[in-house]
Amino acid sequence: MKKFLVFLLAVVAAGLFAFSMEDLKVTVFGNYNFAVNVSSTPTTVEATAANYLDFGLDLTYPVAENLDLGLGLGFAWLLNSEASPLISTDGTPSQNALDLFAVLKYSVELDRESKIVIRGFGGASWPMEKIAFDRVGWVFGAGANYTRYFEDFIVGFGAGVEMRIYGKNSVIAVPVGANFEINF
């Protein structure tokens, strides 16, 4: 467990040093995910029991006009412990997962104070019950947020689609949530 946390800290630190602090964007997000399709082997889990919360942060850097690339770190937590077999790659059920993913954001300016941000992401997800690099799952998603500028930060809300795959288990969900962005 300690080796894994040291590895994650090293990845986040490398990401921070790779970006110029002048243009770095930090986005904190949180979503309630409505599960719409669940595939679970060998147990059966109802989609309504597989709703979960996820939150985390994105570190992005502008690479072109209205286009940002970066890294994200997230955490997913199943609200119902009966659905914990979903987050399992080796038969050890887990109620939460740690995510490390790449992020792509494209912005469409609406006016001087608001924009639509289209966000795509994908990467690895580790069940937290027994973290090991050979027990990796995957998380992918896309969404759109309406964001509004305030003095020093940006607030947004939106929805999207997200898929989590852990071995033979998978869940497709519709995340609805909010985000806060701080630009350095």
Side-chain angles (χ1 to χ4, degrees), residues 1 5 9 25 40 44 46 64 74 78 87 89 94 98 130 133 135 147-148 167 169:
M1 176 73 170
L5 291 176
L9 284 173
K25 297 178 183 178
S40 179
T44 303
E46 295 292 326
L78 288 167
I87 302 181
T89 58
S94 179
L98 185 65
K130 192 168 99 178
F133 288 111
R135 296 183 57 225
T147 59
R148 184 135 180 103
N169 302 325

mmCIF file of all heavy atoms in Angstrom, residues 1 5 9 25 40 44 46 64 74 78 87 89 94 98 130 133 135 147-148 167 169:
data_model
loop_
_atom_site.group_PDB
_atom_site.id
_atom_site.type_symbol
_atom_site.label_atom_id
_atom_site.label_comp_id
_atom_site.label_asym_id
_atom_site.label_seq_id
_atom_site.Cartn_x
_atom_site.Cartn_y
_atom_site.Cartn_z
ATOM 1 N N MET A 1 0.828 -1.189 0.000
ATOM 2 C CA MET A 1 0.000 0.000 0.000
ATOM 3 C C MET A 1 0.873 1.254 0.000
ATOM 4 O O MET A 1 0.582 2.192 -0.718
ATOM 5 C CB MET A 1 -0.913 -0.054 1.223
ATOM 6 C CG MET A 1 -1.768 1.166 1.411
ATOM 7 S SD MET A 1 -3.073 1.193 0.206
ATOM 8 C CE MET A 1 -4.048 2.505 0.818
ATOM 9 N N LEU A 5 1.040 4.339 -2.881
ATOM 10 C CA LEU A 5 0.822 5.757 -2.604
ATOM 11 C C LEU A 5 2.040 6.594 -2.996
ATOM 12 O O LEU A 5 1.885 7.700 -3.518
ATOM 13 C CB LEU A 5 0.477 5.954 -1.133
ATOM 14 C CG LEU A 5 -0.882 5.405 -0.707
ATOM 15 C CD1 LEU A 5 -1.078 5.570 0.789
ATOM 16 C CD2 LEU A 5 -2.002 6.074 -1.472
ATOM 17 N N LEU A 9 1.974 9.637 -5.736
ATOM 18 C CA LEU A 9 2.521 10.959 -5.428
ATOM 19 C C LEU A 9 3.605 11.352 -6.428
ATOM 20 O O LEU A 9 3.686 12.507 -6.849
ATOM 21 C CB LEU A 9 3.076 10.989 -4.005
ATOM 22 C CG LEU A 9 2.035 11.075 -2.899
ATOM 23 C CD1 LEU A 9 2.695 10.913 -1.536
ATOM 24 C CD2 LEU A 9 1.287 12.391 -2.970
ATOM 25 N N LYS A 25 -4.060 24.675 -14.949
ATOM 26 C CA LYS A 25 -5.450 24.765 -14.513
ATOM 27 C C LYS A 25 -5.735 23.584 -13.601
ATOM 28 O O LYS A 25 -5.462 22.446 -13.948
ATOM 29 C CB LYS A 25 -6.405 24.726 -15.701
ATOM 30 C CG LYS A 25 -6.248 25.888 -16.643
ATOM 31 C CD LYS A 25 -7.185 25.762 -17.813
ATOM 32 C CE LYS A 25 -6.957 26.893 -18.795
ATOM 33 N NZ LYS A 25 -7.827 26.757 -19.957
ATOM 34 N N SER A 40 -22.325 -8.084 -14.264
ATOM 35 C CA SER A 40 -21.566 -8.606 -13.140
ATOM 36 C C SER A 40 -21.524 -10.121 -13.181
ATOM 37 O O SER A 40 -22.551 -10.766 -13.326
ATOM 38 C CB SER A 40 -22.212 -8.146 -11.829
ATOM 39 O OG SER A 40 -21.518 -8.646 -10.722
ATOM 40 N N THR A 44 -25.322 -11.250 -9.478
ATOM 41 C CA THR A 44 -26.195 -10.315 -10.180
ATOM 42 C C THR A 44 -26.358 -9.068 -9.321
ATOM 43 O O THR A 44 -26.674 -9.165 -8.146
ATOM 44 C CB THR A 44 -27.569 -10.942 -10.451
ATOM 45 O OG1 THR A 44 -27.382 -12.135 -11.195
ATOM 46 C CG2 THR A 44 -28.465 -9.989 -11.199
ATOM 47 N N GLU A 46 -28.280 -5.255 -9.381
ATOM 48 C CA GLU A 46 -29.241 -4.371 -10.044
ATOM 49 C C GLU A 46 -28.575 -3.035 -10.342
ATOM 50 O O GLU A 46 -27.754 -2.543 -9.573
ATOM 51 C CB GLU A 46 -30.457 -4.147 -9.144
ATOM 52 C CG GLU A 46 -31.259 -5.395 -8.886
ATOM 53 C CD GLU A 46 -31.959 -5.894 -10.138
ATOM 54 O OE1 GLU A 46 -32.378 -5.064 -10.964
ATOM 55 O OE2 GLU A 46 -32.072 -7.112 -10.297
ATOM 56 N N ALA A 64 -3.397 24.211 -27.240
ATOM 57 C CA ALA A 64 -3.870 24.958 -28.409
ATOM 58 C C ALA A 64 -5.031 25.824 -27.937
ATOM 59 O O ALA A 64 -5.483 25.702 -26.797
ATOM 60 C CB ALA A 64 -4.319 24.006 -29.518
ATOM 61 N N GLY A 74 -8.751 10.487 -9.338
ATOM 62 C CA GLY A 74 -10.125 10.425 -8.854
ATOM 63 C C GLY A 74 -10.350 9.307 -7.864
ATOM 64 O O GLY A 74 -9.505 8.428 -7.672
ATOM 65 N N LEU A 78 -19.003 3.362 -4.184
ATOM 66 C CA LEU A 78 -20.345 2.803 -4.357
ATOM 67 C C LEU A 78 -21.195 3.132 -3.134
ATOM 68 O O LEU A 78 -20.759 2.959 -2.000
ATOM 69 C CB LEU A 78 -20.276 1.289 -4.528
ATOM 70 C CG LEU A 78 -19.728 0.779 -5.852
ATOM 71 C CD1 LEU A 78 -19.426 -0.707 -5.760
ATOM 72 C CD2 LEU A 78 -20.704 1.056 -6.979
ATOM 73 N N ILE A 87 -16.788 -3.809 -8.312
ATOM 74 C CA ILE A 87 -15.421 -3.289 -8.319
ATOM 75 C C ILE A 87 -14.510 -4.406 -7.831
ATOM 76 O O ILE A 87 -14.021 -4.390 -6.707
ATOM 77 C CB ILE A 87 -15.304 -2.011 -7.478
ATOM 78 C CG1 ILE A 87 -16.259 -0.952 -7.997
ATOM 79 C CG2 ILE A 87 -13.886 -1.475 -7.494
ATOM 80 C CD1 ILE A 87 -16.221 0.363 -7.268
ATOM 81 N N THR A 89 -11.619 -7.449 -9.553
ATOM 82 C CA THR A 89 -10.967 -8.123 -10.679
ATOM 83 C C THR A 89 -10.575 -9.553 -10.338
ATOM 84 O O THR A 89 -10.312 -10.338 -11.226
ATOM 85 C CB THR A 89 -9.698 -7.354 -11.111
ATOM 86 O OG1 THR A 89 -8.827 -7.265 -9.998
ATOM 87 C CG2 THR A 89 -10.048 -5.986 -11.633
ATOM 88 N N SER A 94 -14.905 -4.744 -3.566
ATOM 89 C CA SER A 94 -14.464 -3.465 -3.012
ATOM 90 C C SER A 94 -15.556 -2.435 -3.221
ATOM 91 O O SER A 94 -16.202 -2.407 -4.262
ATOM 92 C CB SER A 94 -13.179 -3.007 -3.699
ATOM 93 O OG SER A 94 -12.760 -1.778 -3.183
ATOM 94 N N LEU A 98 -9.657 3.793 -6.789
ATOM 95 C CA LEU A 98 -8.778 4.926 -7.034
ATOM 96 C C LEU A 98 -8.474 4.971 -8.526
ATOM 97 O O LEU A 98 -8.095 3.964 -9.112
ATOM 98 C CB LEU A 98 -7.485 4.766 -6.236
ATOM 99 C CG LEU A 98 -6.500 5.909 -6.286
ATOM 100 C CD1 LEU A 98 -7.101 7.155 -5.640
ATOM 101 C CD2 LEU A 98 -5.222 5.523 -5.573
ATOM 102 N N LYS A 130 -7.931 -4.124 -1.841
ATOM 103 C CA LYS A 130 -6.596 -4.728 -1.824
ATOM 104 C C LYS A 130 -5.851 -4.196 -3.048
ATOM 105 O O LYS A 130 -5.893 -4.779 -4.104
ATOM 106 C CB LYS A 130 -6.739 -6.243 -1.889
ATOM 107 C CG LYS A 130 -5.486 -7.014 -1.605
ATOM 108 C CD LYS A 130 -5.806 -8.478 -1.408
ATOM 109 C CE LYS A 130 -5.534 -9.247 -2.673
ATOM 110 N NZ LYS A 130 -5.786 -10.666 -2.537
ATOM 111 N N PHE A 133 -0.942 -3.672 -8.405
ATOM 112 C CA PHE A 133 -0.870 -3.254 -9.799
ATOM 113 C C PHE A 133 -1.430 -4.288 -10.766
ATOM 114 O O PHE A 133 -1.827 -3.959 -11.865
ATOM 115 C CB PHE A 133 0.572 -2.895 -10.177
ATOM 116 C CG PHE A 133 1.019 -1.612 -9.562
ATOM 117 C CD1 PHE A 133 1.976 -1.606 -8.562
ATOM 118 C CD2 PHE A 133 0.476 -0.408 -9.961
ATOM 119 C CE1 PHE A 133 2.378 -0.424 -7.988
ATOM 120 C CE2 PHE A 133 0.872 0.779 -9.392
ATOM 121 C CZ PHE A 133 1.829 0.779 -8.397
ATOM 122 N N ARG A 135 -4.197 -5.906 -10.278
ATOM 123 C CA ARG A 135 -5.654 -5.901 -10.125
ATOM 124 C C ARG A 135 -6.233 -4.620 -10.723
ATOM 125 O O ARG A 135 -7.078 -3.979 -10.126
ATOM 126 C CB ARG A 135 -6.018 -5.992 -8.645
ATOM 127 C CG ARG A 135 -5.586 -7.286 -7.997
ATOM 128 C CD ARG A 135 -6.039 -7.359 -6.563
ATOM 129 N NE ARG A 135 -7.476 -7.216 -6.496
ATOM 130 C CZ ARG A 135 -8.107 -6.439 -5.629
ATOM 131 N NH1 ARG A 135 -7.443 -5.718 -4.770
ATOM 132 N NH2 ARG A 135 -9.419 -6.373 -5.626
ATOM 133 N N THR A 147 -19.948 26.267 -17.770
ATOM 134 C CA THR A 147 -19.128 26.916 -16.750
ATOM 135 C C THR A 147 -19.296 28.425 -16.818
ATOM 136 O O THR A 147 -19.516 28.999 -17.880
ATOM 137 C CB THR A 147 -17.634 26.563 -16.921
ATOM 138 O OG1 THR A 147 -17.198 26.976 -18.203
ATOM 139 C CG2 THR A 147 -17.406 25.080 -16.763
ATOM 140 N N ARG A 148 -19.156 29.047 -15.660
ATOM 141 C CA ARG A 148 -19.319 30.498 -15.549
ATOM 142 C C ARG A 148 -18.123 31.059 -14.786
ATOM 143 O O ARG A 148 -17.711 30.513 -13.771
ATOM 144 C CB ARG A 148 -20.606 30.813 -14.825
ATOM 145 C CG ARG A 148 -20.916 32.254 -14.747
ATOM 146 C CD ARG A 148 -22.374 32.489 -15.085
ATOM 147 N NE ARG A 148 -22.692 33.892 -15.021
ATOM 148 C CZ ARG A 148 -22.829 34.642 -16.083
ATOM 149 N NH1 ARG A 148 -22.696 34.119 -17.274
ATOM 150 N NH2 ARG A 148 -23.121 35.910 -15.975
ATOM 151 N N GLY A 167 -12.306 -6.539 -14.890
ATOM 152 C CA GLY A 167 -12.358 -7.944 -15.296
ATOM 153 C C GLY A 167 -13.629 -8.225 -16.077
ATOM 154 O O GLY A 167 -13.889 -7.614 -17.106
ATOM 155 N N ASN A 169 -16.614 -7.647 -14.852
ATOM 156 C CA ASN A 169 -17.637 -6.743 -14.333
ATOM 157 C C ASN A 169 -17.534 -5.387 -15.015
ATOM 158 O O ASN A 169 -16.443 -4.899 -15.286
ATOM 159 C CB ASN A 169 -17.466 -6.550 -12.822
ATOM 160 C CG ASN A 169 -17.521 -7.844 -12.067
ATOM 161 O OD1 ASN A 169 -18.252 -8.753 -12.435
ATOM 162 N ND2 ASN A 169 -16.734 -7.940 -11.012
#
